[in-house]
Amino acid sequence: MSGINGAEQQRIVRIGGASGFWGDSSVGAPQLVASGQIDYLVFDYLAELTMSILAGARLKKPELGYATDFVSVAMKAVLKDIVQQGIRVVSNAGGVNPQGCADALAALAAEQGIALKIAVVSGDDVLPLLPQLRLAQPPVRELQSGAPLPERVLTANAYLGARPIQAALDAGAQVVVTGRCVDSAVTLGVLMHEFGWQPGDHDLLAAGSLAGHIIECGCQATGGLHTDWDTVPDWPNIGYPIVECHADGAFVVTKPARTGGKVTPAVVGEQMLYEIGDPSAYLLPDVVADFTQVRIEQAGEHRVRVHGARGRAPTASYKVCATHVEGFKTAAQLTIVGFDAIAKARRTGEAVLARTSALFARHGFGPYSGTQLEVLGAESCYGPHARATQTREAVLRLAVTHSRREALELFAREVAPAGTSWAPGTTGAGGGRSSVSPSIRQYAFLLDKSLVGPCVTIGAQRIDVPRDTASPMAADGLSPTHAADTMEAPSSSLDAVEVPLIRLAWARSGDKGDTSNIGVIARHPALLPLLREQLTEARVAEWLAHLVEGPVTRYDMPGIGAFNFVCEQALGGGGMASLRNDALGKGMGQILLAMPMRVSAALLALAAGSPNA
């Protein structure tokens, strides 16, 4: 591990997270810069679907292909201020055209009369490697489904790590623009530069990755999406997150003074659990992180200290996210008003599908490749646990896929006539006739790091970036360590009552492809034995059986008194492929929180009085 002297340990590097996705609020960057509390500003813009959208944009206009909001909204508003204050910026807004993003930013700087040193990180685009990968032995297989490499691939980008960002900052860049990298790398690269962390400093790299993971989704770290949403003040003025980082890897999560939101152990713990799998083996390009022994403690008002992350050598592979087209998709909605609105909506949807299926057969189109009928307002996502059986207003949602565009154009024409042909009180589709678009699907696979060459340029200057390597002991197949259901259970109390899980725990759900994870945190440490007894893999799988087709694995996180449930084949194919209204599983945590639990009055009182909310 790198040596850390006393003076270095006292130094604090302050990083503000201004964006969690392309389309995040425009208030983040100006708020953080105006706070005077940051040394660095980092932005995360890229999701798998975003990469496909950007690829399409670049096909139409070669100078595009990046997250334009970064230049035209965020940087336009703060560029002069960040230069004056000496704030440095790292962003993955480059998408599939990081050089184009840098060129647009340079033009903005010139327009404002500002000299700006911009670095570009590229090399993540591995599309040119696909011809040789098609001939590889063993053949390329999708990580979750095992499917072969698709014929028509739109994008293929490796998730790069933090070392190219570190190299760019070491070379004096004021702004670093990257293509695809792991979300947390924009923060870890800063910390590697500032503290001189090296590739072998696995515990430090894990800690820096955790800091980046917590702020990568913007306001989710400051009360956004918190289970106890009604306790989070001043939503309109909610603060964006800041991490105050030390050379030993410990950090404090906070937010700008006089902003809304809240920063507590529960809020930060929820975000730590967001979109992870095995918490003892969180695979990143720079490190395999272990978050199981992380401690989260209140350190003042809206200040939470995080420490205890551990790491080991990274694997020999990068994860690659490719996207491809598989047929077409569309979705339509109708509002149904009046008595028995739920039953009317279901019958209307079934009639639309029956009529269009008959028309498809008449035209020789063949059947739908996928259909999804949901009644919004009827708790469709709760399946057998739904309680809304009667309402006088509901929204019918039909989502469908087909191999032929003209079939779905016919479907779109046949939705509106339901308002005059069938159910009384059908008010029509507020957005007009639904449009048909290509069905873009994700395909993830592993690629040997030796085949990928990250590149950093500042103008005409090329900066050397050491190739990522892996320890000889590292492996891509890691054995999961999860909590056994056979641990000793507490005896039942005679005064036990039945309450929903939300009375005993906080929870947050996220997605990775077709896998959903649900992190569950006990509201009080004394509740852990009860949760371990009743919140088993088998019971969670049964409760979510209407959504989850694959196995459910429970992982233990004793450091914060939590469990992480990883649910496979849970999202109807995953974000881009799924026809569900909740394609990303954002509501799955809420559905689990409705599960009934048996608890004594004494333990219930402890849960209600928890100081960590």
Side-chain angles (χ1 to χ4, degrees), residues 21-25 43 45 66-76 93:
F21 63 98
W22 186 20
D24 204 344
S25 173
F43 297 80
Y45 284 101
Y66 61 90
T68 53
D69 287 2
F70 172 63
V71 178
S72 62
V73 178
M75 295 303 286
K76 186 175 183 179

Side-chain angles (χ1 to χ4, degrees), residues 367-386:
Y368 288 106
S369 54
T371 65
Q372 180 81 14
L373 190 163
E374 296 172 288
V375 182
L376 310 184
E379 300 184 3
S380 288
C381 61
Y382 282 80
H385 316 299

Side-chain angles (χ1 to χ4, degrees), residues 446-533:
L446 297 178
L447 184 63
D448 193 292
K449 286 178 176 176
S450 65
L451 298 175
V452 181
C455 176
V456 175
T457 55
I458 300 178
Q461 180 187 8
R462 185 183 178 104
I463 310 299
D464 288 334
V465 182
R467 290 288 185 112
D468 282 331
T469 57
S471 163
M473 299 300 294
D476 288 320
L478 293 164
S479 300
T481 55
H482 62 279
D485 289 341
T486 56
M487 298 184 72
E488 184 178 350
S491 58
S492 299
S493 172
L494 294 177
D495 67 341
V497 296
E498 187 173 275
V499 299
L501 176 61
I502 195 171
R503 298 277 299 276
L504 310 180
W506 301 286
R508 170 82 63 79
S509 53
D511 71 295
K512 288 292 182 187
D514 197 21
T515 295
S516 177
N517 87 290
I518 308 172
V520 179
I521 308 172
R523 290 181 180 266
H524 192 281
L527 290 164
L528 271 175
L530 181 148
L531 293 177
R532 183 173 285 110
E533 174 195 20

Side-chain angles (χ1 to χ4, degrees), residues 66-392:
Y66 61 90
T68 53
D69 287 2
F70 172 63
V71 178
S72 62
V73 178
M75 295 303 286
K76 186 175 183 179
V78 301
L79 188 55
K80 288 183 178 178
D81 291 330
I82 65 171
V83 172
Q84 288 172 358
Q85 295 181 38
I87 296 170
R88 300 169 80 176
V89 175
V90 182
S91 172
N92 63 6
V96 298
N97 187 10
Q99 186 60 57
C101 182
D103 291 344
L105 180 59
L108 174 66
E111 180 184 310
Q112 295 189 3
I114 296 171
L116 195 64
K117 192 172 184 179
I118 306 170
V120 176
V121 176
S122 58
D124 58 293
D125 183 1
V126 298
L127 205 58
L129 295 177
L130 293 192
Q132 74 180 77
L133 292 179
R134 294 188 188 281
L135 303 175
Q137 291 297 329
V140 171
R141 296 293 181 189
E142 208 279 331
L143 284 177
Q144 293 181 341
S145 69
L149 196 62
E151 285 300 317
R152 186 186 172 196
V153 176
L154 296 177
T155 62
N157 296 83
Y159 286 77
L160 299 183
R163 297 186 76 191
I165 296 169
Q166 177 190 22
L169 294 171
D170 288 350
Q174 295 166 278
V175 178
V176 182
V177 175
T178 81
R180 199 37 157 146
C181 64
V182 290
D183 302 345
S184 56
V186 294
T187 297
L188 178 58
V190 169
L191 298 176
M192 292 178 74
H193 161 70
E194 283 286 341
F195 296 129
W197 294 349
Q198 298 302 311
D201 296 335
H202 298 135
D203 287 350
L204 298 176
L205 300 183
S209 297
L210 178 56
H213 176 69
I214 286 174
I215 67 170
E216 72 189 29
C217 292
C219 297
Q220 288 180 201
T222 56
L225 305 191
H226 183 37
T227 302
D228 298 342
W229 58 270
D230 54 335
T231 69
V232 180
D234 196 5
W235 281 1
N237 190 41
I238 192 167
Y240 276 71
I242 298 170
V243 283
E244 299 176 353
C245 304
H246 297 263
D248 66 355
F251 58 92
V252 170
V253 185
T254 186
K255 63 186 183 69
R258 297 177 295 281
T259 60
K262 63 189 287 188
V263 182
T264 65
V267 168
V268 175
E270 285 179 337
Q271 184 57 26
M272 182 173 77
L273 290 166
Y274 185 60
E275 294 186 339
I276 65 172
D278 180 353
S280 71
Y282 185 42
L283 305 183
L284 296 165
D286 301 291
V287 67
V288 174
D290 181 351
F291 298 154
T292 58
Q293 301 301 323
V294 167
R295 299 292 192 272
I296 300 178
E297 304 147 358
Q298 199 76 47
E301 186 179 17
H302 302 305
R303 295 179 62 80
V304 168
R305 183 172 183 265
V306 181
H307 61 100
R310 296 291 181 263
R312 57 186 183 272
T315 69
S317 301
Y318 285 121
K319 178 183 175 181
V320 175
C321 178
T323 57
H324 63 104
V325 173
E326 189 173 295
F328 299 87
K329 68 185 297 185
T330 190
Q333 293 187 357
L334 289 172
T335 302
I336 313 292
V337 176
F339 295 102
D340 298 317
I342 295 172
K344 284 192 294 185
R346 288 193 178 120
R347 185 177 177 187
T348 299
E350 291 164 356
V352 170
L353 293 176
R355 170 180 282 183
T356 52
S357 293
L359 289 171
F360 288 1
R362 191 179 308 165
H363 288 281
F365 291 156
Y368 288 106
S369 54
T371 65
Q372 180 81 14
L373 190 163
E374 296 172 288
V375 182
L376 310 184
E379 300 184 3
S380 288
C381 61
Y382 282 80
H385 316 299
R387 295 179 179 175
T389 58
Q390 290 293 329
T391 182
R392 292 183 292 181

